[in-house]
């Protein structure tokens, strides 16, 4: 796409009206994603509390690694939990991407595993940072986009009516998953400015952590091969140590490939640690 043609009736140059935002959030992805969505459509209400045995086996680490096995120690006062995009549009059946991410979220137990990390971090008094994803009407006027940027804009993913406008926000796809609100909105968690594509290059995550003396990150959230992986790369380039919690993320499964598989391969190659949620929770507890 080279341009958007929007006809917002209020004169802002964009068609992101309250009605469109509300309806778009409730639509499943269609078109090219339809084939992948067909298998996930049968998945119903509840997510697993942990990664399924089948998922653990399918995405298992090699028995004989070919690369050096690196790990990260948790140092109190220098280590933080960072969660990317813990929002309804990614993690709920009501979200607009459930048709392509639901299978992975379910088989990894992602929703519950992220909550386990919140609980552990809060109990250990570990700093928690959220790097969210929001789009405002002016973001729909970009002159060019990548494949998934175009997709996110087309389905109204993470849409809000403005940076200072919370109309229709509560319970919308841009809102936090309901079970996370008590941790995110406790007055201690740092909610950073939104990232607009995938990485935190354009938000204040780095500034907020550096101002608190953080140089080690436990990384979780959505989505594995997109925002989570991009945060991993950016933070490594900025000089942080980063351990990724492998079953506290998930990825889309589309005809083009398995996003989670792509991510887990790259996590193994570049992260300072790749942990399971139970391992991360134990390490956080032991560090308190």
């Amino acid at each position: 796409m080279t341009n958007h043609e929007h006809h917002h009736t209020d004169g802002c140059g964009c068609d992101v009206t309250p009605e469109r935002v509300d309806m778009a959030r409730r639509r499943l992805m269609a078109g090219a994603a339809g084939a992948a969505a067909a298998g996930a459509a049968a998945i119903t209400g509840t997510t697993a509390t942990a990664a399924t045995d089948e998922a653990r086996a399918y995405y298992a680490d090699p028995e004989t690694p070919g690369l050096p096995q690196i790990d990260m120690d948790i140092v109190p006062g220098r280590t933080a939990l960072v969660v990317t995009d813990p929002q309804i549009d990614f993690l709920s059946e009501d979200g607009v991407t459930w048709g392509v991410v639901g299978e992975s979220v379910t088989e990894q137990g992602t929703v519950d595993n992220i909550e386990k990390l919140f609980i552990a971090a809060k109990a250990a008094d570990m700093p928690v940072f959220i790097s969210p994803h929001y789009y405002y009407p002016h973001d729909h006027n970009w002159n060019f986009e990548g494949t998934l940027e175009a997709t996110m804009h087309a389905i109204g993913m993470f849409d809000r009516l403005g940076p200072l406008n919370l109309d229709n926000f509560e319970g919308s796809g841009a809102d936090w998953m309901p079970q996370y609100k008590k941790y995110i909105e406790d007055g201690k968690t740092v909610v950073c400015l939104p990232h607009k594509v995938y990485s935190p290059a354009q938000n204040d995550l780095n500034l907020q952590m550096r101002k608190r003396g953080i140089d080690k990150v436990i990384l979780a959230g959505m989505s594995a091969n997109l925002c989570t992986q991009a945060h991993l790369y950016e933070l490594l380039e900025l000089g942080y140590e980063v351990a990724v919690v492998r079953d506290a993320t998930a990825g889309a499964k589309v005809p083009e490939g398995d996003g989670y598989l792509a991510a887990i391969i790259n996590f193994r190659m570049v992260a300072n640690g790749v942990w399971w949620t139970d391992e991360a929770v134990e390490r956080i507890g032991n560090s308190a």
Side-chain angles (χ1 to χ4, degrees):
M1 313 179 53
T2 57
N3 270 298
H4 298 284
E5 293 183 3
H6 295 294
H7 305 285
H8 191 285
T9 56
D10 293 331
C12 76
C14 173
D15 67 351
V16 186
T17 63
E19 294 77 17
R20 176 184 177 276
V21 169
D22 184 63
M23 290 300 296
R25 296 188 195 290
R26 303 299 171 235
R27 295 197 308 267
L28 293 177
M29 293 179 72
I43 298 172
T44 56
T46 58
T47 56
T49 58
T52 64
D53 292 339
E54 292 81 2
R56 282 179 176 265
Y58 186 77
Y59 298 106
D61 294 328
E63 291 186 8
T64 306
L67 299 173
Q69 298 303 287
I70 308 300
D71 201 5
M72 185 184 88
D73 294 326
I74 294 175
V75 179
R78 292 172 48 196
T79 308
L81 172 66
V82 172
V83 181
T84 59
D85 302 352
Q87 293 160 269
I88 285 173
D89 266 346
F90 258 145
L91 291 167
S92 169
E93 287 189 358
D94 291 329
V96 293
T97 65
W98 188 256
V100 293
V101 303
E103 182 180 351
S104 184
V105 169
T106 300
E107 67 186 9
Q108 296 301 324
T110 308
V111 174
D112 291 331
N113 287 334
I114 291 173
E115 184 170 20
K116 290 177 183 178
L117 294 174
F118 278 133
I119 293 170
K122 294 299 180 180
D125 200 27
M126 175 180 286
V128 177
F129 298 80
I130 307 297
S131 182
H133 208 145
Y134 300 129
Y135 288 126
Y136 307 130
H138 56 250
D139 297 321
H140 288 261
N141 292 320
W142 295 350
N143 288 334
F144 61 92
E145 302 162 325
T147 301
L148 287 174
E149 291 173 75
T151 302
M152 287 189 286
H153 285 161
I155 63 175
M157 189 175 182
F158 300 133
D159 274 352
R160 284 175 50 183
L161 296 177
L164 301 179
N165 189 338
L166 290 176
D167 291 346
N168 299 335
F169 177 76
E170 184 76 20
S172 72
D175 199 2
W176 316 125
M177 286 290 283
Q179 58 264 55
Y180 302 159
K181 289 190 176 186
K182 59 188 174 184
Y183 314 112
I184 297 175
E185 298 175 359
D186 65 351
K188 296 181 179 179
T189 296
V190 178
V191 178
C192 297
L193 296 170
H195 56 271
K196 291 296 180 177
V197 184
Y198 306 115
S199 87
Q202 305 303 326
N203 76 358
D204 63 335
L205 176 63
N206 178 51
L207 173 68
Q208 295 290 348
M209 291 200 295
R210 291 299 189 196
K211 288 289 190 178
R212 290 163 176 79
I214 302 299
D215 59 9
K216 293 169 173 278
V217 168
I218 300 169
L219 182 63
M222 292 294 285
S223 127
N225 64 313
L226 300 174
C227 299
T228 310
Q229 181 172 299
H231 277 65
L232 168 64
Y233 288 168
E234 179 73 11
L235 292 173
L236 291 174
E237 295 279 3
L238 290 169
Y240 292 88
E241 287 184 83
V242 186
V244 181
V245 186
R246 58 185 294 161
D247 53 341
T249 186
K253 295 185 179 183
V254 293
E256 286 76 8
D258 181 344
Y260 182 79
L261 178 60
I264 201 70
I265 292 170
N266 289 325
F267 294 165
R268 293 180 187 128
M269 289 187 174
V270 303
N272 300 107
V274 182
W275 302 341
W276 294 97
T277 297
D278 289 346
E279 179 185 4
V281 167
E282 182 178 3
R283 287 174 179 244
I284 293 169
N286 289 340
S287 73

